[in-house]
Short mmCIF file of all heavy atoms in Angstrom, two decimals:
data_model
loop_
_atom_site.label_atom_id
_atom_site.label_comp_id
_atom_site.label_asym_id
_atom_site.label_seq_id
_atom_site.Cartn_x
_atom_site.Cartn_y
_atom_site.Cartn_z
N TYR A 754 99.27 84.17 84.06
CA TYR A 754 98.55 84.31 85.32
C TYR A 754 99.16 83.45 86.40
O TYR A 754 99.67 82.36 86.14
CB TYR A 754 97.09 83.89 85.17
CG TYR A 754 96.29 84.74 84.23
CD1 TYR A 754 96.16 84.40 82.88
CD2 TYR A 754 95.64 85.89 84.67
CE1 TYR A 754 95.42 85.17 82.01
CE2 TYR A 754 94.90 86.67 83.81
CZ TYR A 754 94.79 86.31 82.48
OH TYR A 754 94.06 87.09 81.62
N ALA A 755 99.08 83.95 87.61
CA ALA A 755 99.41 83.12 88.75
C ALA A 755 98.39 81.99 88.86
O ALA A 755 97.22 82.17 88.53
CB ALA A 755 99.39 83.95 90.04
N ASP A 756 98.85 80.84 89.30
CA ASP A 756 97.96 79.69 89.40
C ASP A 756 96.73 79.98 90.26
O ASP A 756 95.64 79.48 89.99
CB ASP A 756 98.70 78.48 89.95
CG ASP A 756 99.71 77.92 88.98
OD1 ASP A 756 99.59 78.18 87.76
OD2 ASP A 756 100.62 77.19 89.42
N SER A 757 96.91 80.77 91.28
CA SER A 757 95.83 81.03 92.22
C SER A 757 94.69 81.86 91.64
O SER A 757 93.60 81.89 92.22
CB SER A 757 96.38 81.74 93.46
OG SER A 757 96.99 82.97 93.11
N VAL A 758 94.92 82.50 90.50
CA VAL A 758 93.88 83.36 89.93
C VAL A 758 93.41 82.89 88.56
O VAL A 758 92.49 83.49 87.99
CB VAL A 758 94.33 84.83 89.84
CG1 VAL A 758 94.81 85.32 91.19
CG2 VAL A 758 95.42 85.00 88.78
N LYS A 759 94.00 81.85 88.04
CA LYS A 759 93.62 81.34 86.73
C LYS A 759 92.14 80.95 86.72
O LYS A 759 91.66 80.29 87.63
CB LYS A 759 94.48 80.15 86.34
CG LYS A 759 95.89 80.51 85.95
CD LYS A 759 96.69 79.27 85.55
CE LYS A 759 98.10 79.63 85.13
NZ LYS A 759 98.91 78.43 84.79
N GLY A 760 91.47 81.39 85.69
CA GLY A 760 90.05 81.10 85.57
C GLY A 760 89.16 82.11 86.25
O GLY A 760 87.94 82.10 86.04
N ARG A 761 89.74 82.97 87.08
CA ARG A 761 88.95 83.97 87.79
C ARG A 761 89.29 85.40 87.37
O ARG A 761 88.42 86.25 87.30
CB ARG A 761 89.15 83.84 89.30
CG ARG A 761 88.70 82.50 89.87
CD ARG A 761 88.73 82.51 91.39
NE ARG A 761 90.08 82.72 91.91
CZ ARG A 761 90.44 83.74 92.69
NH1 ARG A 761 89.53 84.65 93.05
NH2 ARG A 761 91.68 83.84 93.13
N PHE A 762 90.57 85.64 87.11
CA PHE A 762 91.02 86.99 86.75
C PHE A 762 91.35 87.05 85.26
O PHE A 762 91.81 86.06 84.67
CB PHE A 762 92.28 87.37 87.52
CG PHE A 762 92.08 87.58 89.00
CD1 PHE A 762 90.89 87.26 89.63
CD2 PHE A 762 93.12 88.10 89.76
CE1 PHE A 762 90.71 87.46 90.98
CE2 PHE A 762 92.96 88.30 91.13
CZ PHE A 762 91.76 87.98 91.73
N THR A 763 91.15 88.21 84.68
CA THR A 763 91.49 88.44 83.29
C THR A 763 92.21 89.77 83.15
O THR A 763 91.70 90.80 83.58
CB THR A 763 90.24 88.45 82.39
OG1 THR A 763 89.54 87.21 82.53
CG2 THR A 763 90.65 88.63 80.93
N ILE A 764 93.38 89.73 82.55
CA ILE A 764 94.12 90.96 82.30
C ILE A 764 93.92 91.37 80.85
O ILE A 764 93.86 90.52 79.95
CB ILE A 764 95.62 90.79 82.63
CG1 ILE A 764 96.35 92.13 82.56
CG2 ILE A 764 96.28 89.77 81.72
CD1 ILE A 764 97.77 92.09 83.10
N SER A 765 93.81 92.65 80.61
CA SER A 765 93.67 93.17 79.27
C SER A 765 94.31 94.55 79.21
O SER A 765 94.63 95.14 80.25
CB SER A 765 92.19 93.24 78.85
OG SER A 765 91.46 94.10 79.71
N ARG A 766 94.49 95.05 78.01
CA ARG A 766 95.10 96.37 77.88
C ARG A 766 94.55 97.10 76.67
O ARG A 766 94.09 96.49 75.70
CB ARG A 766 96.63 96.26 77.79
CG ARG A 766 97.14 95.53 76.55
CD ARG A 766 98.64 95.25 76.66
NE ARG A 766 99.44 96.46 76.54
CZ ARG A 766 100.76 96.52 76.69
NH1 ARG A 766 101.43 95.41 77.00
NH2 ARG A 766 101.42 97.66 76.55
N ASP A 767 94.60 98.40 76.75
CA ASP A 767 94.25 99.28 75.65
C ASP A 767 95.50 100.07 75.34
O ASP A 767 95.83 101.04 76.03
CB ASP A 767 93.09 100.20 76.04
CG ASP A 767 92.61 101.05 74.89
OD1 ASP A 767 93.38 101.31 73.95
OD2 ASP A 767 91.43 101.47 74.93
N ASN A 768 96.20 99.66 74.31
CA ASN A 768 97.48 100.28 74.00
C ASN A 768 97.34 101.76 73.62
O ASN A 768 98.23 102.56 73.89
CB ASN A 768 98.17 99.51 72.87
CG ASN A 768 98.63 98.14 73.30
OD1 ASN A 768 98.93 97.91 74.48
ND2 ASN A 768 98.68 97.20 72.36
N ALA A 769 96.24 102.10 72.98
CA ALA A 769 96.03 103.48 72.58
C ALA A 769 95.88 104.40 73.78
O ALA A 769 96.18 105.59 73.70
CB ALA A 769 94.80 103.59 71.68
N LYS A 770 95.41 103.85 74.89
CA LYS A 770 95.21 104.64 76.09
C LYS A 770 96.26 104.38 77.16
O LYS A 770 96.16 104.92 78.26
CB LYS A 770 93.82 104.36 76.67
CG LYS A 770 92.68 104.76 75.76
CD LYS A 770 91.33 104.48 76.41
CE LYS A 770 90.19 104.92 75.52
NZ LYS A 770 88.87 104.64 76.14
N ASN A 771 97.24 103.56 76.84
CA ASN A 771 98.28 103.20 77.81
C ASN A 771 97.67 102.70 79.11
O ASN A 771 98.11 103.06 80.21
CB ASN A 771 99.21 104.38 78.08
CG ASN A 771 100.11 104.69 76.91
OD1 ASN A 771 100.37 103.85 76.06
ND2 ASN A 771 100.61 105.92 76.85
N THR A 772 96.68 101.87 78.98
CA THR A 772 95.92 101.41 80.13
C THR A 772 95.88 99.89 80.20
O THR A 772 95.73 99.22 79.18
CB THR A 772 94.48 101.94 80.08
OG1 THR A 772 94.51 103.37 80.06
CG2 THR A 772 93.69 101.49 81.29
N VAL A 773 96.03 99.37 81.40
CA VAL A 773 95.90 97.94 81.64
C VAL A 773 94.80 97.73 82.67
O VAL A 773 94.63 98.53 83.59
CB VAL A 773 97.24 97.32 82.10
CG1 VAL A 773 97.69 97.91 83.43
CG2 VAL A 773 97.13 95.80 82.18
N TYR A 774 94.05 96.65 82.49
CA TYR A 774 92.93 96.34 83.36
C TYR A 774 93.13 94.97 83.98
O TYR A 774 93.78 94.10 83.42
CB TYR A 774 91.61 96.33 82.59
CG TYR A 774 91.33 97.59 81.82
CD1 TYR A 774 91.69 97.70 80.48
CD2 TYR A 774 90.70 98.68 82.42
CE1 TYR A 774 91.43 98.85 79.76
CE2 TYR A 774 90.45 99.84 81.70
CZ TYR A 774 90.81 99.92 80.38
OH TYR A 774 90.55 101.08 79.68
N LEU A 775 92.52 94.79 85.12
CA LEU A 775 92.46 93.48 85.73
C LEU A 775 91.02 93.24 86.18
O LEU A 775 90.55 93.86 87.13
CB LEU A 775 93.40 93.36 86.93
CG LEU A 775 93.48 91.97 87.56
CD1 LEU A 775 94.11 90.97 86.59
CD2 LEU A 775 94.26 92.01 88.87
N GLN A 776 90.34 92.37 85.46
CA GLN A 776 88.99 91.98 85.84
C GLN A 776 89.09 90.83 86.82
O GLN A 776 89.65 89.78 86.50
CB GLN A 776 88.19 91.56 84.60
CG GLN A 776 86.77 91.10 84.91
CD GLN A 776 85.90 92.21 85.43
OE1 GLN A 776 85.92 93.31 84.91
NE2 GLN A 776 85.13 91.93 86.48
N MET A 777 88.55 91.02 87.99
CA MET A 777 88.64 90.03 89.05
C MET A 777 87.24 89.53 89.38
O MET A 777 86.42 90.29 89.89
CB MET A 777 89.31 90.62 90.29
CG MET A 777 90.70 91.20 90.02
SD MET A 777 91.52 91.79 91.53
CE MET A 777 90.45 93.16 91.95
N ASN A 778 87.00 88.28 89.09
CA ASN A 778 85.72 87.65 89.37
C ASN A 778 85.87 86.59 90.45
O ASN A 778 86.96 86.11 90.72
CB ASN A 778 85.14 87.01 88.10
CG ASN A 778 84.88 88.00 87.00
OD1 ASN A 778 84.52 89.16 87.26
ND2 ASN A 778 85.03 87.57 85.75
N SER A 779 84.75 86.22 91.03
CA SER A 779 84.74 85.19 92.06
C SER A 779 85.79 85.44 93.12
O SER A 779 86.57 84.55 93.49
CB SER A 779 84.93 83.81 91.43
OG SER A 779 83.93 83.53 90.48
N LEU A 780 85.82 86.64 93.61
CA LEU A 780 86.84 87.04 94.57
C LEU A 780 86.75 86.24 95.86
O LEU A 780 85.65 85.90 96.33
CB LEU A 780 86.76 88.52 94.87
CG LEU A 780 87.34 89.42 93.77
CD1 LEU A 780 86.85 90.85 93.93
CD2 LEU A 780 88.86 89.37 93.81
N LYS A 781 87.90 85.95 96.41
CA LYS A 781 88.02 85.20 97.65
C LYS A 781 88.71 86.05 98.71
O LYS A 781 89.47 86.96 98.37
CB LYS A 781 88.83 83.92 97.42
CG LYS A 781 88.30 83.00 96.34
CD LYS A 781 89.25 81.84 96.11
CE LYS A 781 88.76 80.92 95.02
NZ LYS A 781 89.70 79.78 94.79
N PRO A 782 88.49 85.76 99.97
CA PRO A 782 89.22 86.49 101.01
C PRO A 782 90.74 86.43 100.83
O PRO A 782 91.43 87.39 101.19
CB PRO A 782 88.78 85.79 102.30
CG PRO A 782 87.42 85.28 101.99
CD PRO A 782 87.48 84.86 100.54
#
C-alpha cells in the first residue's frame, strides 16, 4: 500500500473471478 492509504484502504482479489477489489474507508478529499 501507498503510505497515504495504509490503514484505510484494503485490496483483495478473487482469482476464480479474475477480479480485484479496493475497499476504501475513511475517505478524504
Side-chain angles (χ1 to χ4, degrees):
Y754 296 93
D756 289 340
S757 59
V758 306
K759 287 181 179 177
R761 299 188 298 120
F762 291 9
T763 302
I764 189 170
S765 61
R766 64 190 289 175
D767 185 336
N768 291 331
K770 297 181 178 180
N771 289 337
T772 301
V773 63
Y774 306 93
L775 185 67
Q776 179 66 44
M777 304 184 293
N778 298 327
S779 302
L780 283 163
K781 304 175 181 179

